Amino acid sequence: MDKMYRVLGFWTGIFSIFFYIGHMPKTSLLFLAQTGFFILLGYLKLSERMYVYVFFVYLTVFFAGFTYWTTFMMPLGGPLASQ
């Protein structure tokens, strides 16, 4: 299970690079932070149950943040409404 966290760290690192190349520095830093988080967890040698608990907490925080963003921060009508 620890190897899967390293794989997640690898892919979030790739996305971080792509966001940086695409001139999206805030998103790039967010994914860079996730990369560090996943790689750190990959080398902690936790039990498989603990890895599942950590992933559950990560998904809960993500879904809560995404729901908050889409409900209160996104403009009404979506990105194509002004065109």
Side-chain angles (χ1 to χ4, degrees), residues 5 22 32-33 37 40 42 58-59 62 64 69-70 74 77-78:
Y5 275 89
L32 190 63
F37 173 72
L40 173 74
Y58 171 77
L59 286 181
F62 168 77
W69 176 262
T70 56
M74 273 182 85

Side-chain angles (χ1 to χ4, degrees), residues 11-81:
W11 283 113
T12 54
I14 295 296
F15 273 86
S16 177
I17 291 168
F18 285 152
F19 283 130
Y20 183 75
I21 291 171
H23 305 290
M24 294 187 254
K26 291 180 184 177
T27 310
S28 176
L29 288 175
L30 177 68
F31 272 75
L32 190 63
Q34 289 182 17
T35 299
F37 173 72
F38 284 137
I39 290 180
L40 173 74
L41 279 174
Y43 285 104
L44 283 181
K45 300 291 184 193
L46 301 173
S47 68
E48 188 164 344
R49 178 178 288 196
M50 195 64 193
Y51 279 122
V52 171
Y53 288 156
V54 168
F55 192 67
F56 174 73
V57 170
Y58 171 77
L59 286 181
T60 303
V61 169
F62 168 77
F63 286 135
F66 183 75
T67 303
Y68 175 81
W69 176 262
T70 56
T71 304
F72 300 113
M73 304 295 283
M74 273 182 85
L76 293 176
L80 300 176

